[in-house]
Structures are given as C-alpha cells and as structure tokens.
Amino acid sequence: MELKTIENIDIVKSSTTKINEVDFDNISFGNTFTDHMLICDYANGEWQKPIIQPYAPFTIDPSAKVFHYGQAIFEGMKAYKDEQDDVWLFRPEENFMRFNKSAVRMAMPEVPEEVFLGGLKKLLELEKDWVKKGNGSSLYIRPFMIATGPGVVAAPAMFYRFMIILSPAKSYYSGAVKVVVAEHFSRAANGGIGAAKAAGNYSGQFYPTKLANEKGYQQIIWTDDATHTKLEEAGTMNVFFRINDTLYTAPTSERILDGITRKSLIDLAKRENIKVEVRSVLVDELVNAAKDGSLKEIFGAGTAAVISPISGFAYKEEYFELPNVEDSIAMDLKDKLTKIQTKLADDTFGWTVKI
Ligand SMILES: *Cc1c(COP(=O)(O)O)cnc(C)c1O
C-alpha cells in the first residue's frame, strides 16, 4: 500500500525545535509533543486547505459544541523507524476508516483520505527526527476532530477542526495489572457509541476506574451492560483470555471497539498455530477456569501498550490471582507483533506502510 499524498497544503515551519530538551529514554507516555501539528478546518460544508504549523494552543469560541455536547472523536496510531532510518506506519488505512466511522456515528463530517493520511505523511516527513529507532521506541500519533461551531443548542455543529499531534513514546512495561470485573458500571451499551472512539466514552470511565483504583485495582474489565455476565473489554483495550492453550476474545459489536491490535493478534496467533476462538467469555467461565487452574493468562490489547498483561481479577469481593506461566503467549505475541511493526521481522501480512 502507498500512502496518498497531498499537494494542497500550507506548511509553516517552526523556527526553533524542542527536540534537544527531550530525554527520549525516560519519556512518560502522552505528555511530550513534537514541534508541529496539522490543522484542517471544515466550514461552509467543505474541508478547507490544511496547514502544518508550529505546535501551539489556539482559541475557540466558549460556546463551541465540543465543550457542551462532547462532539469529539480521536484515533491512536504509531510510527516506527527501522535500521535504515525509514519511517513506517502500521495498518494506517484501518485507523483512517475507523476515524470516519466514528465521525458518522457522532454526526460529524468524514475527513478525506488525502487530509488524514496524506497530511499525516507530510507531518511525519517534517518530524522524522522525533521517531527514534530500537527498543520499542515509537512516535504516537493522535488524529482528532472537535466541533468548533458555536451555539449552546444541542444539534450538530456547522464548523469542525481536524488535527494531528504527535508524541514520542517508549515501549512501556508497567508490569501486570490487577483488574476488577464490572458488576454495575458500563463502558458502552447496545445502540450507544461504544464502537466509536468518541471522547465521552473515556471520560465516562474515569469515575468507575477511580473507584477501582481506591480498592487497589488498576483497571476494570467491562461486561455487557444488560446482564454483566459477558466479558468485553479491559479499560480502553480489547481483552484476551488464555484458557489452557486457547485464546478467547469477544466478537466486536456495538459495545466493543474494533481494535487493530486485536485483529492483528488474532491473525498472528493463527499463523503461529495458536488456537483462537472469537466468542464471548462469560464471567462464570472465567471464575471456574481460575478455580480449576485452566486460566493461564489475561491481557489487554491496544496500540499504546500493544499488550498489557493482567495478573489477577476481582469479582464479587473475591480475588483470583493468575499463575506465573513459563511460556507466556501474551509476551510471545507482543514480541512478534512489535518486531513486525519495527521491521525487525518479515511482514508477511503486508501490514506496514512506508512513509
Ligand atoms: C482504541 C481502543 C482499543 C484498541 O484499538 P487499537 O486499534 O488496537 O489501538 C480498544 N478498546 C477501546 C475502547 C479503544 O478505544
């Protein structure tokens, strides 16, 4: 796959760079940004000429709908650098298509491919020194769109702003986390917006997650909102369970985000002859598997951490600790996927795209 290019774009270069102030080996995720950002405004029913300009705050009308009605969506992707200093993206067309699905669900205008992918290519060409190679280093890419149109009237805006900002990242291994299985709160509901990367889905998680943190758990495993019996996602990640030597993950639905890491792991596991079953896992099944020792691993899957291992879960006041496994499928798949992304292993799937 070749990335679309864009010719109709303005580029205003920053006269300074912050790159020398950044300690790339000790970087906390999502707090440092590169020198430039991309902006493309939507007005009068069409997308305007995009501009890449120095990273800086900007002003919006206080009545902008993003502030009042949360009309906002985002994506999360990464760029990697190989040994030859070439910059690569991982399945970027998937992020582009998902972004526009989110846009449709939130009654926002779809962003043209040349703005999203072509603009990203231009931005990355300008910021390629910020993509470090080796050791799981990457440049986290955050495309997003907000409703800038004014008016405290609960109806879709007439004006929008699409932006891309970039944040250097290390592969982070925060250790395995303890989770609690949701019995009351829900992340998403049938007919709702859970399948979109809509901003409000995440702020809605903050309070239940805070309550879980106070009890000593780092994350929540979300269950279906109607019955709280099916395991659906882990925090802001898709979730996998290993029972004996089979991996299980729920099918995507209106309540489950269609993660690119999730579907890549499914394909990768199949190639490695690891059994994968895409079906709902019941909370009862998980508890029974934990009790009889067949539950070997639980892990979250998403772009930011790739794979995030879970060491145990709480359900109805009982805590189930997972055994220490010698040959972790999670860690093996993480290693294999990261190697494909960073061009250290053959990309037999054709997932990587050169900038
Ligand atoms: C973004 C996201 C994921 C993971 O998607 P990836 O494409 O793998 O990064 C999973 N669940 C939720 C709720 C998400 O927002």
Side-chain angles (χ1 to χ4, degrees), residues 98 187 197 202 233 236-238 257 259-261 301-303:
R98 189 170 68 189
R187 193 194 80 83
K197 280 183 110 75
Y202 305 85
E233 294 214 60
T236 57
M237 289 183 278
N238 294 114
L257 195 112
I260 297 157
T261 315
T303 296

Side-chain angles (χ1 to χ4, degrees), residues 92-147:
E93 69 290 354
E94 296 280 341
N95 295 95
F96 164 66
M97 289 188 297
R98 189 170 68 189
F99 190 77
N100 278 343
K101 272 190 201 156
S102 298
V104 169
R105 181 61 185 85
M106 300 305 286
M108 300 169 98
E110 292 176 68
V111 176
E113 185 173 344
E114 71 210 48
V115 172
F116 189 105
L117 292 177
L120 175 59
K121 183 181 162 84
K122 283 269 191 263
L123 184 61
L124 286 173
E125 280 166 0
L126 200 60
E127 303 286 56
K128 60 178 182 300
D129 291 347
W130 288 84
V131 196
K132 299 295 176 191
K133 56 188 164 192
N135 225 0
S137 291
S138 64
L139 187 61
Y140 184 77
I141 300 163
R142 171 54 62 92
F144 64 103
M145 179 173 20
I146 53 173

